Amino acid sequence: MKLKHLLFSVAVGCCSVSLFAQPIVGQKKTSGNPVFEGWYADPEAVVYNGEYWIFPTYSAPYGEQLHMDAFSSQDLVNWTKHPKVLSVENISWLRYALWLLRDTGQ
């Protein structure tokens, strides 16, 4: 009797694994987590002209945080990177940490 229970448990376990491993028909595709690759933090999001935009800060050592990238998507699944939408090249007084955005007087 114990052998029957063991075989039944193994059979149910194997069926369950194969059942749950199958993709669900009609399941919507998602962007995943993270939404896009890279070292980013503190995202700000906006919808502009029907397109989704994310503006995160760039996470790097303090003295290297000299630009901001942006990401856009029309479907919240596929994202396009827009590198350096704002950077030290655009702000003459910026010395470090773009997210700080204040004149250090240096």
Side-chain angles (χ1 to χ4, degrees):
M1 191 67 165
K2 289 183 182 181
L3 181 60
K4 286 183 181 179
H5 284 106
L6 177 63
L7 292 175
F8 177 75
S9 297
V10 169
V12 169
C14 290
C15 291
S16 297
V17 169
S18 64
L19 174 68
F20 291 117
Q22 301 298 317
I24 299 171
V25 176
Q27 183 178 22
K28 291 184 178 182
K29 184 178 176 186
T30 62
S31 61
N33 186 9
V35 174
F36 38 80
E37 295 298 317
W39 290 95
Y40 297 98
D42 309 320
E44 188 69 32
V46 66
V47 178
Y48 182 73
N49 285 337
E51 192 168 35
Y52 304 94
W53 285 82
I54 296 178
F55 300 90
T57 56
Y58 176 61
S59 295
Y62 193 68
E64 297 175 25
Q65 297 177 17
L66 300 174
H67 73 276
M68 285 188 165
D69 297 328
F71 298 85
S72 65
S73 175
Q74 294 182 351
D75 59 8
L76 295 174
V77 175
N78 302 295
W79 291 89
T80 300
K81 180 179 179 177
H82 305 273
K84 293 190 174 185
V85 294
L86 187 60
S87 71
V88 68
E89 291 85 12
N90 307 109
I91 305 170
S92 62
W93 48 262
L94 181 68
R95 301 291 179 263
Y96 49 86
L98 177 62
W99 54 267
L100 191 57
L101 274 186
R102 67 179 170 90
D103 189 347
T104 61
Q106 297 176 357

